[in-house]
Amino acid sequence: MIQKCLPKIKGKKAVIIGDSALIGRPTANLLRRMKANVLVCKENAKKIHLHTSNADIVVVDVRTPKFLDGKLIKPGAVVIDAGMNVLRDPGVLSKRRVVGDIDFESVNFS
């Protein structure tokens, strides 16, 4: 999926937020094998924005709704939101919606 959006991964800066055994670590290992410069951050790391704002690839899997704001993402970056969060709709108790870890409403898709 990443190669489809960004065919030349070698030398690109990748930031993985969340080091889970299911998403974070395998994705980091895959990108390292493709010769990307990979940084893995925990969700509570300080100044994550300094890394994400310069990254060519951002992968987020922290299971926190709207954890990362679009202003913290470099324009043109490949972004993968692997988080899945189910929220109740405040207006209707029986209605639920699924949101990711990235606030896509704030992302500039140019």
Side-chain angles (χ1 to χ4, degrees), residues 1-108:
M1 182 167 47
I2 295 171
Q3 280 186 303
K4 189 122 176 137
C5 298
L6 191 66
K8 295 183 181 179
I9 294 177
K10 184 177 181 179
K12 299 293 183 183
K13 182 176 180 183
V15 175
I16 315 291
I17 304 173
D19 67 341
S20 70
L22 187 62
I23 302 290
R25 281 182 255 156
T27 304
N29 290 334
L30 174 70
L31 289 169
R32 283 185 184 114
R33 283 195 307 271
M34 299 171 99
K35 305 294 186 213
N37 299 318
V38 179
L39 174 67
V40 179
C41 302
K42 300 258 187 196
E43 67 185 82
N44 58 355
K46 295 179 181 176
K47 301 182 182 180
I48 286 178
H49 66 281
L50 296 176
H51 304 293
T52 58
S53 61
N54 294 313
D56 302 300
I57 303 165
V58 178
V59 180
V60 185
D61 181 30
V62 294
R63 294 176 186 85
T64 302
K66 299 184 178 186
F67 173 79
L68 192 63
D69 189 272
K71 291 176 254 176
L72 306 177
I73 300 171
K74 174 182 165 181
V78 174
V79 179
I80 298 177
D81 186 346
M84 188 174 112
N85 308 283
V86 180
L87 301 178
R88 288 184 180 215
D89 192 331
V92 183
L93 292 177
S94 62
K95 190 173 180 183
R96 296 188 176 136
R97 58 192 171 102
V98 177
V99 298
D101 293 342
I102 297 174
D103 181 8
F104 274 100
E105 293 170 2
S106 68
V107 175
N108 180 8

